[in-house]
Amino acid sequence: MYGISLDIGTSGIRGHGVELSSGKILSTAITESHPLPGANIMDHLTFCIKLGKDVAHSILMGTVNKLIKELNIDIAKVERVAICGNPIQLSLFQNMQIDDLAYAGEKAWETRGITPLKRNARTIPAVDVGLEVPDKAELLVPPAIKHEIGADALAMLLKSGFLDQKENCLVTDYGTNAEMALKVGDEIYTGSAAAGPAMEGQHIKHGMLASPGAISDLEYDFNYRCKVLNEDLMAAPGDLIDLAFGSVVDEGEMHGKAIGITGTGTVAVLAAAMESNLWRKGKLQMPNGRIDLQDGIFVTEEDILEAAKAIGAMRAGHFTLLEHAGIKFEDLNIMYMSGATGTYVDAEKARQVGLLPPTCKEIYQIGNTSLAMATDILRKPELLDELQSIADGIRSNHVMFATDKVFENIYIQELAYWNEGMPMSAYNDNLAVLGIQQLPKVSGRPKVHRIAERDIPILGDKGLKIIKDFGTELKGNFAGCTGCQKCVKECPESALTMDADKTMRVKTKECLGTACYRCQFVCPEKVYKYDDMRLA
């Protein structure tokens, strides 16, 4: 008999095929992005609210079922499916209401007549949510800690060892929606920073998720050695590059095999540019406005600013949790990093650019905790009761960054620092006026514990399958359309096409969703309405 474990992430879906008798991972499949339009959790929420949760659920499940078929196991013998993810993704997966997640706070709920759901652990028939598995198969769903703090955060806290740590410590899942928690004594302070998709390699010119062919790091020397993920998702030596001139000094093992760059690779380029004085005052000091790497892959000034926006949001989040806990940076020595970015990024470079607090002296890189916990649940279903008990017992103070004044004040300084080139001295002076502690300089060399060498530690004997053909289409016809195709030409992702009869079609996995709307804004007749598109 077999089981399937799934991590339903904002940037994509990951899954294992597992032999239940032995608990052995047999195979792994991942998607290269999320099937819903948009690149972050707010885009998915907005799409769901405007086009309906049934539509969002249908698109998501179509992709999940395609992924399951690629796991190369006998679907007729699947007995259990276990999932993990943030509250929004798991709600979409189960076709549950998301209104209480879209509108935060009791006043907002009361105004709109929303009753928040209790997202406790549960076991239900897998076919009830649309999974194409045998009728007898069970779906195991882990609990959220609170409605804003989901099962993925619980996985991060448990799998990292964070909850057992006696010293002050911080943990972060470095993704599009960066969940983070600070532990001070028995108190836990949590938050979630909408960092944007740059850390997942999206909204980057040559960006991609962590998969074979992705430049994931640069090694510093007199020149810079690209590190490229191989077929086993391990970082292998690429070409040696003269960063200032973009020329290849020496061809590496992965020469000719780079097809893109991850968010961690972009962070490494930023760190290299800062060290080489090629990044000054919010500008890339290169004649062609870009840094060339190997195999035609390059990073632009706009790419660096996208990454900087994510770095700024995460640093502001860390800063805010410390302020709410009433402790200084100097009181924080231990940092846990999870997720693909937390695995592949060079921890010292990450600390240099601001992804980690400058004072942390011990850093643990722990891999994908969400998929790992789903697999644990699959092997041991009674773990659900234990997880519910742990979730109920966590004393958590959740800080809603979107409405928090401390976060707002710090993030304004981050934007000025990265976008306008404001010096760090002015950054700290402004914080002092606001009564906020200053940001210390990076000093010393931390001890790095690389617990996981890749995001998904075990791929299984049947290996990794990357799914590129997924998602679906939205279509619509609009009275008054002249067929000028300005909307088609305006689409930055080439996700929009027009048939001969003026039927509009949008590829959901390519579309930037409601965060873009450029197609709608450019319509000269003002007849094209993105929200009126429906499933093809």
Side-chain angles (χ1 to χ4, degrees):
M1 303 305 294
Y2 299 109
I4 297 165
S5 54
L6 297 168
D7 168 29
I8 313 298
T10 303
S11 61
I13 302 163
R14 297 168 175 84
H16 282 319
V18 178
E19 184 181 64
L20 291 180
S21 60
S22 64
K24 182 181 179 181
I25 294 171
L26 302 174
S27 57
T28 303
I30 64 175
T31 64
E32 62 177 3
S33 63
H34 198 285
L36 291 182
N40 61 57
I41 201 69
M42 295 311 298
D43 294 340
H44 297 167
L45 263 179
T46 305
F47 178 86
C48 184
I49 290 169
K50 291 191 173 183
L51 276 79
K53 68 182 180 69
D54 291 344
V55 172
H57 172 74
S58 175
I59 294 172
L60 177 59
M61 297 313 295
T63 297
V64 170
N65 283 320
K66 182 166 285 190
L67 180 144
I68 287 173
K69 291 173 183 175
E70 297 294 341
L71 286 173
N72 197 19
I73 58 175
D74 187 348
I75 303 299
K77 294 183 178 180
V78 169
E79 194 171 86
R80 293 195 291 271
V81 180
I83 60 174
C84 195
N86 66 49
I88 292 167
Q89 298 298 342
L90 294 196
S91 295
L92 293 176
F93 185 95
Q94 298 171 81
N95 205 16
M96 296 163 60
Q97 77 167 42
I98 48 85
D99 295 29
D100 57 329
L101 302 172
Y103 304 102
E106 293 183 8
K107 184 175 289 187
W109 296 336
E110 185 178 343
T111 301
R112 293 172 175 81
I114 297 170
T115 301
L117 294 181
K118 287 187 177 180
R119 291 174 169 83
N120 291 329
R122 66 175 189 155
T123 301
I124 59 174
V127 293
D128 284 3
V129 300
L131 286 172
E132 294 174 359
V133 293
D135 292 348
K136 65 179 182 179
E138 295 179 326
L139 175 65
L140 309 175
V141 185
I145 300 173
K146 289 183 178 178
H147 93 279
E148 322 98 325
I149 314 169
D152 58 339
L154 181 59
M156 177 181 72
L157 301 185
L158 280 172
K159 299 295 290 184
S160 64
F162 172 90
L163 291 177
D164 297 325
Q165 181 59 251
K166 302 303 180 185
E167 294 186 52
N168 297 340
C169 57
L170 181 68
V171 61
T172 300
D173 184 351
Y174 288 88
T176 302
N177 196 50
E179 289 85 9
M180 55 187 68
L182 171 68
K183 186 171 183 285
V184 179
D186 291 331
E187 290 292 320
I188 296 175
Y189 298 81
T190 60
S192 181
M199 287 299 104
E200 302 284 0
Q202 298 179 47
H203 285 196
I204 302 294
K205 177 71 175 178
H206 290 288
M208 61 185 291
L209 293 180
S211 52
I215 297 173
S216 62
D217 195 10
L218 294 180
E219 278 187 350
Y220 292 176
D221 199 346
F222 182 74
N223 294 304
Y224 298 86
R225 175 77 68 181
C226 293
K227 301 296 286 291
V228 184
L229 298 184
N230 61 22
E231 291 299 319
D232 293 323
L233 293 183
M234 300 295 288
D239 292 348
L240 189 67
I241 305 292
D242 183 318
L243 208 64
F245 298 99
S247 56
V248 177
V249 179
D250 176 63
E251 294 181 0
E253 172 189 333
M254 297 297 288
H255 174 72
K257 297 180 180 179
I259 58 174
I261 186 167
T262 63
T264 63
T266 308
V267 167
V269 170
L270 171 57
M274 293 173 73
E275 182 183 88
S276 305
N277 210 27
L278 296 175
W279 180 263
R280 299 196 303 273
K281 297 183 178 180
K283 299 291 181 182
L284 186 57
Q285 308 299 316
M286 295 290 285
N288 60 358
R290 72 191 203 190
I291 290 178
D292 290 290
L293 302 172
Q294 71 173 78
D295 303 327
I297 306 302
F298 58 84
V299 173
T300 67
E301 181 177 296
E302 290 75 19
D303 294 337
I304 289 177
L305 287 172
E306 276 292 322
K309 183 167 63 178
I311 292 167
M314 292 186 195
R315 180 156 66 182
H318 295 158
F319 213 141
T320 300
L321 293 184
L322 290 173
E323 285 292 295
H324 278 271
I327 67 170
K328 301 295 185 183
F329 277 98
E330 291 76 9
D331 299 324
L332 180 68
N333 293 325
I334 298 174
M335 180 75 197
Y336 297 94
M337 307 176 71
S338 72
T341 299
T343 302
Y344 291 116
V345 75
D346 182 291
E348 291 192 53
K349 298 187 190 85
R351 194 175 70 131
Q352 288 289 337
V353 302
L355 276 173
L356 287 78
T359 55
C360 57
K361 295 180 176 61
E362 283 204 77
I363 302 169
Y364 295 84
Q365 296 179 271
I366 56 178
N368 185 317
T369 54
S370 186
L371 182 57
M373 192 170 85
T375 307
D376 287 348
I377 294 168
L378 194 68
R379 293 166 172 154
K380 184 183 174 185
E382 58 269 27
L383 181 60
L384 278 186
D385 293 334
E386 295 177 36
L387 292 173
Q388 186 65 63
S389 179
I390 292 169
D392 292 341
I394 290 177
R395 292 161 56 190
S396 173
N397 304 284
H398 187 66
V399 182
M400 189 70 70
F401 292 158
T403 57
D404 187 77
K405 196 65 179 177
V406 175
F407 180 87
E408 178 187 336
N409 286 331
I410 297 171
Y411 189 54
I412 287 171
Q413 309 312 311
E414 288 289 332
L415 291 176
Y417 172 76
W418 289 110
N419 293 355
E420 308 300 329
M422 182 182 75
M424 187 54 70
S425 57
Y427 178 112
N428 277 326
D429 288 344
N430 292 339
L431 291 182
V433 171
L434 294 165
I436 298 173
Q437 66 176 302
Q438 295 193 345
L439 182 67
K441 291 182 179 179
V442 175
S443 62
R445 189 165 186 171
K447 184 176 182 181
V448 178
H449 307 271
R450 188 175 279 276
I451 308 301
E453 290 295 325
R454 59 187 174 200
D455 177 27
I456 306 173
I458 301 173
L459 300 178
D461 293 342
K462 296 183 179 181
L464 173 69
K465 176 75 174 183
I466 300 172
I467 303 166
K468 300 183 179 182
D469 179 21
F470 63 92
T472 186
E473 282 188 342
L474 303 176
K475 73 174 184 177
N477 295 89
F478 302 93
C481 173
T482 63
C484 70
Q485 298 211 19
K486 286 187 177 181
C487 54
V488 175
K489 296 172 185 175
E490 184 68 16
C491 179
E493 303 298 319
S494 301
L496 180 64
T497 58
M498 181 185 291
D499 295 345
D501 64 355
K502 301 177 188 176
T503 297
M504 310 299 301
R505 296 183 182 273
V506 173
K507 295 177 183 177
T508 59
K509 79 180 184 75
E510 306 290 347
C511 178
L512 296 178
T514 54
C516 178
Y517 271 175
R518 284 168 59 173
C519 52
Q520 181 169 307
F521 295 150
V522 80
C523 178
E525 306 301 323
K526 306 302 178 189
V527 296
Y528 174 69
K529 303 295 180 185
Y530 181 88
D531 294 348
D532 290 342
M533 300 286 280
R534 291 293 178 263
L535 282 178

